[in-house]
Amino acid sequence: MSLFKAIFKYVWPQIKKYRLAFYSIFILFGTRIFLEGILRPVYFKKIIDTISFSSFDRITVSSDLFKLVFITIGLNFLVTTIARICKFIIYAFEVNVAKELRNFSFRKISKQSQLFFSNNFSGSLVTKSRRFVGSFETMFDILIYDFYSSIIFFIGVFIVILPQSKIIALFFSIFILVYMSIIFFFLKKKIKYDTIEAQSDSRIGGRLADVFSNIFAVKIFSNRDKEEESFKEITQDANIKSKKAWFFSGKIEVIQGFFSAIMLSLILYITAKLWLQNKISTGTVVLIQTYIVIMMDKLWQLSTAFMKFMKSAADMKEMIDLFEVKPDILDPVKPEKIKIKEGHIVFKDVSFKYKNGQSVFEKFNIDIKPGERIGLVGHSGAGKSTFTNLVLRFSDVSEGNISIDGQDIRSVTQDDLRSVISYVPQESILFHRTIRENIAYGKPNATDEEIIQVAKKAYAHEFISKLPNGYDTYVGERGIKLSGGERQRIAIARAMIKDAPVLILDEATSSLDSISEQYIQDAFNELMKGKTTIVIAHRLSTIQKMDRIIVLEDGKIVEEGTHKELIAKNGSYAELWNHQVGGFIE
């Protein structure tokens, strides 16, 4: 039951937005089931009884007979009308709630930290999200068309049959209760199989996304056959688990089939005996048999529906589990209004440890003045990336605090903080959208003139103009249609147009050729004016003109100064400079 409580917790708030349609569905659908499944057979019974009792005087009862016939015809039209209206409302309701669930899923998952996305396959997340919404639609259909309609029908049958024959009503009740008990007994066991099957399906989606997103590496290393065999192993494992789930379902159906046959035979026998004893009419016999036929169909569908319902619940569970994951980085309950304008960054007694206990910073202090240009250098693992992750709040300090313009960065929302920071990563990832949209992502309301201007500054305008559709060219997934240097220039233009007071460049010219790099350096010199700039560099030639260069080792500042000052010291920085070959640190 805890699973269904969790599902209800996340689904009900979206349903409430369309509560009028939700309640209308139950009222209209319940009315339809009552008229179609309960009341209409009663009038058929009355017609049969009227015909049976009037076999020698047809003229006398003709008016009563046609009155019943016209009522039945009217019921048919009424049922059809209600069914069509209800179908329309159900469709509109499910589409609207599905939209809300998709939006909620996106909002909930997108709030997770960068670490969360590093630990989860994007393909699996997409699969789980789609299955979450699809499972809701399946579960709601089952709830209405199977569970709710069956409850209305069973209660109605009991109420109608009880005055006709208490013993038949008793048998109906026993039959339904025992049948449902059998279903619930087996379904508790089956949900385990369905959960395992859902996990296997997510694993397949994750592997597909992993291979397809890295297809270049697969081909360049000639590992297509290896990947195919590995994928076959995963699908074979999923196949085995699916078979176990379906074979268990088959066992349930066999038991249900035999039990249904036994109970149906008993009710048929008792009905015949009661008719011979003249305790029930011919119309009642037909009514009971009509109800039995409908009931058997509903019960058989109900068992299948329960299995689908539980499988859908298991499918939703994976997404629910993700919803339950608390983000590593949280916004303050009462965030302050962002006051950052100058970009004065201060690390005060900052300590940081990863969850595995690995320490990066211990009582780390640094003061970066507004407009100062800082270069961060050091070997891998020195703390350069951790430094920028802390400034951007992709990670939070373990102790101490980081402030910008005197405002603790944890006192504002993450979105507000990052709105005042322009960031160009080492590996530029673009959206599968137009170049215009990718550049304007840093400033959604940017004009075409502004987009072209920053593209020129980033030395991207020339190659963009040569493309078939210019700025309206789609760049492909992750920008795959562009070269590495072209992607980097688009990313640089995107950071330029944002025009934030703090600028972070994570080896932002790493994918550029030497000539382009020189052009970009000129553009950066203009861009950096009036901005606090942090440049992470492995290619030391890119930071020679920085106001200050910080050399990190094991999370500590071992040297700092200008390029010339550090070369003169002949220390760690000079050693890095001397070992640099082709612009890269060995």
Side-chain angles (χ1 to χ4, degrees):
M1 290 301 292
S2 59
L3 171 58
F4 293 106
K5 286 181 180 179
I7 292 174
F8 184 82
K9 171 185 174 182
Y10 291 107
V11 172
W12 178 244
Q14 315 311 322
I15 291 177
K16 282 199 301 183
K17 296 175 183 178
Y18 305 95
R19 57 167 63 89
L20 178 61
F22 178 75
Y23 294 126
S24 297
I25 289 169
F26 280 90
I27 294 171
L28 289 172
F29 199 81
T31 303
R32 175 201 161 182
I33 294 301
F34 174 76
L35 295 176
E36 182 181 32
I38 304 299
L39 194 58
R40 189 164 60 180
V42 169
Y43 276 95
F44 279 129
K45 168 203 176 286
K46 291 182 178 181
I47 289 172
I48 292 171
D49 283 339
T50 300
I51 294 172
S52 299
F53 295 145
S54 60
S55 57
F56 301 106
D57 190 9
R58 297 184 181 183
I59 297 175
T60 305
V61 298
S62 61
S63 62
D64 292 335
L65 178 60
F66 280 107
K67 180 180 178 181
L68 293 171
V69 168
F70 287 130
I71 290 175
T72 304
I73 292 172
L75 281 175
N76 290 337
F77 280 105
L78 183 59
V79 166
T80 300
T81 302
I82 293 175
R84 298 288 69 78
I85 294 173
C86 194
K87 186 76 174 179
F88 174 80
I89 296 175
I90 289 174
Y91 175 77
F93 171 79
E94 288 187 352
V95 168
N96 286 330
V97 175
K99 176 197 68 175
E100 298 294 341
L101 288 174
R102 289 188 184 97
N103 293 339
F104 173 78
S105 299
F106 179 85
R107 183 169 62 253
K108 191 77 175 176
I109 297 301
S110 64
K111 285 183 177 180
Q112 290 290 347
S113 68
Q114 194 66 24
L115 179 63
F116 172 88
F117 289 99
S118 299
N119 293 334
N120 288 275
F121 281 121
S122 58
S124 291
L125 293 175
V126 172
T127 299
K128 292 172 184 177
S129 179
R130 287 180 175 175
R131 205 159 53 203
F132 175 71
V133 176
S135 295
F136 158 75
E137 293 173 341
T138 299
M139 291 178 75
F140 188 76
D141 283 343
I142 291 171
L143 178 66
I144 294 297
Y145 291 107
D146 295 295
F147 297 167
Y148 182 62
S149 68
S150 296
I151 291 172
I152 296 294
F153 179 76
F154 295 153
I155 293 174
V157 166
F158 181 80
I159 292 172
V160 172
I161 294 296
L162 186 61
Q164 309 291 327
S165 172
K166 292 181 180 179
I167 189 169
I168 295 294
L170 180 62
F171 262 91
F172 265 123
S173 302
I174 293 173
F175 177 38
I176 292 169
L177 289 174
V178 174
Y179 192 94
M180 297 304 296
S181 298
I182 292 173
I183 291 176
F184 280 116
F185 174 77
F186 284 106
L187 285 179
K188 286 182 179 180
K189 297 180 178 294
K190 188 177 182 298
I191 194 169
K192 175 184 70 175
Y193 293 97
D194 291 334
T195 301
I196 294 173
E197 184 183 10
Q199 291 171 347
S200 298
D201 185 60
S202 294
R203 189 182 173 199
I204 290 173
R207 177 54 66 94
L208 280 172
D210 189 37
V211 172
F212 290 161
S213 62
N214 293 284
I215 194 66
F216 180 78
V218 173
K219 291 182 179 294
I220 204 70
F221 287 100
S222 303
N223 273 338
R224 188 177 62 80
D225 291 340
K226 179 182 176 182
E227 291 294 343
E228 186 175 341
E229 288 302 315
S230 176
F231 188 70
K232 284 180 179 179
E233 291 177 8
I234 295 175
T235 55
Q236 178 62 21
D237 178 67
N239 181 48
I240 292 170
K241 289 170 180 175
S242 293
K243 283 181 177 178
K244 286 182 179 180
W246 282 105
F247 286 161
F248 192 82
S249 299
K251 292 177 184 178
I252 298 174
E253 290 180 357
V254 169
I255 294 171
Q256 290 170 338
F258 276 108
F259 178 75
S260 298
I262 292 170
M263 292 302 295
L264 180 62
S265 301
L266 281 173
I267 293 175
L268 185 60
Y269 175 79
I270 293 170
T271 303
K273 289 282 289 183
L274 291 173
W275 183 80
L276 289 172
Q277 294 171 5
N278 204 30
K279 292 184 178 179
I280 56 176
S281 66
T282 303
T284 302
V285 172
V286 174
L287 178 66
I288 291 172
Q289 293 309 306
T290 300
Y291 281 160
I292 287 176
V293 170
I294 298 174
M295 181 179 293
M296 293 306 299
D297 183 58
K298 282 192 173 294
L299 286 173
W300 190 261
Q301 288 181 2
L302 201 58
S303 60
T304 304
F306 265 116
M307 287 186 279
K308 288 183 179 179
F309 192 83
M310 298 302 285
K311 186 179 186 308
S312 295
D315 287 343
M316 294 184 81
K317 182 180 184 299
E318 288 190 306
M319 200 63 182
I320 295 295
D321 289 342
L322 293 180
F323 291 161
E324 294 290 316
V325 174
K326 186 178 180 180
D328 296 292
I329 309 298
L330 296 171
D331 286 331
V333 178
K334 294 181 178 180
E336 296 178 4
K337 186 178 179 180
I338 192 80
K339 302 173 184 176
I340 299 170
K341 293 181 180 179
E342 303 296 325
H344 184 191
I345 303 172
V346 177
F347 278 58
K348 184 176 181 180
D349 295 330
V350 168
S351 297
F352 176 76
K353 290 182 180 180
Y354 288 106
K355 287 187 176 181
N356 61 10
Q358 179 186 356
S359 179
V360 181
F361 292 123
E362 287 285 348
K363 301 294 182 181
F364 183 85
N365 293 279
I366 190 171
D367 190 323
I368 303 174
K369 304 298 182 183
E372 188 176 14
R373 299 176 301 174
I374 298 292
L376 287 181
V377 300
H379 292 289
S380 296
K384 303 185 299 298
S385 296
T386 302
F387 184 94
T388 57
N389 284 339
L390 290 173
V391 174
L392 289 161
R393 277 204 78 200
F394 287 146
S395 300
D396 264 341
V397 299
S398 303
E399 293 179 13
N401 71 79
I402 301 172
S403 65
I404 303 180
D405 292 348
Q407 187 170 37
D408 192 321
I409 62 173
R410 290 172 297 182
S411 67
V412 298
T413 67
Q414 296 170 68
D415 285 340
D416 281 349
L417 171 65
R418 293 165 195 159
S419 71
V420 296
I421 301 175
S422 292
Y423 177 67
V424 182
Q426 184 174 359
E427 182 185 357
S428 297
I429 304 299
L430 305 181
F431 293 97
H432 178 40
R433 301 172 191 174
T434 65
I435 290 177
R436 186 190 311 279
E437 289 176 288
N438 273 285
I439 294 177
Y441 203 76
K443 185 180 179 183
N445 61 345
T447 64
D448 287 346
E449 289 74 16
E450 289 176 307
I451 292 171
I452 293 173
Q453 184 180 15
V454 295
K456 287 179 177 179
K457 288 182 178 180
Y459 292 88
H461 178 71
E462 184 177 355
F463 85 78
I464 294 172
S465 300
K466 292 178 182 179
L467 295 172
N469 296 312
Y471 284 85
D472 293 319
T473 300
Y474 279 84
V475 301
E477 185 178 6
R478 299 166 69 88
I480 196 170
K481 291 183 179 181
L482 303 178
S483 69
E486 290 169 342
R487 286 198 299 272
Q488 200 74 317
R489 295 184 209 183
I490 298 299
I492 291 168
R494 182 167 59 191
M496 285 181 172
I497 205 168
K498 189 175 181 180
D499 195 27
V502 177
L503 175 65
I504 298 177
L505 306 174
D506 187 353
E507 194 56 44
T509 61
S510 61
S511 298
L512 302 177
D513 55 72
S514 298
I515 296 176
S516 296
E517 180 185 344
Q518 182 58 53
Y519 290 146
I520 294 299
Q521 285 298 332
D522 293 339
F524 277 156
N525 290 334
E526 183 67 27
L527 175 65
M528 292 176 191
K529 288 181 179 178
K531 293 180 175 59
T532 303
T533 306
I534 300 169
V535 181
I536 297 177
H538 293 102
R539 190 184 296 183
L540 301 185
S541 60
T542 62
I543 59 167
Q544 290 183 67
K545 296 181 180 180
M546 294 292 104
D547 298 325
R548 184 166 37 137
I549 296 172
I550 307 294
V551 184
L552 295 176
E553 282 186 14
D554 298 324
K556 297 180 177 63
I557 299 175
V558 294
E559 287 182 349
E560 61 179 306
T562 64
H563 172 75
K564 290 182 178 180
E565 290 171 347
L566 294 177
I567 290 294
K569 284 184 179 180
N570 200 29
S572 297
Y573 180 80
E575 182 182 356
L576 291 173
W577 179 264
N578 292 330
H579 280 97
Q580 193 171 88
V581 178
F584 292 96
I585 296 173
E586 290 184 335

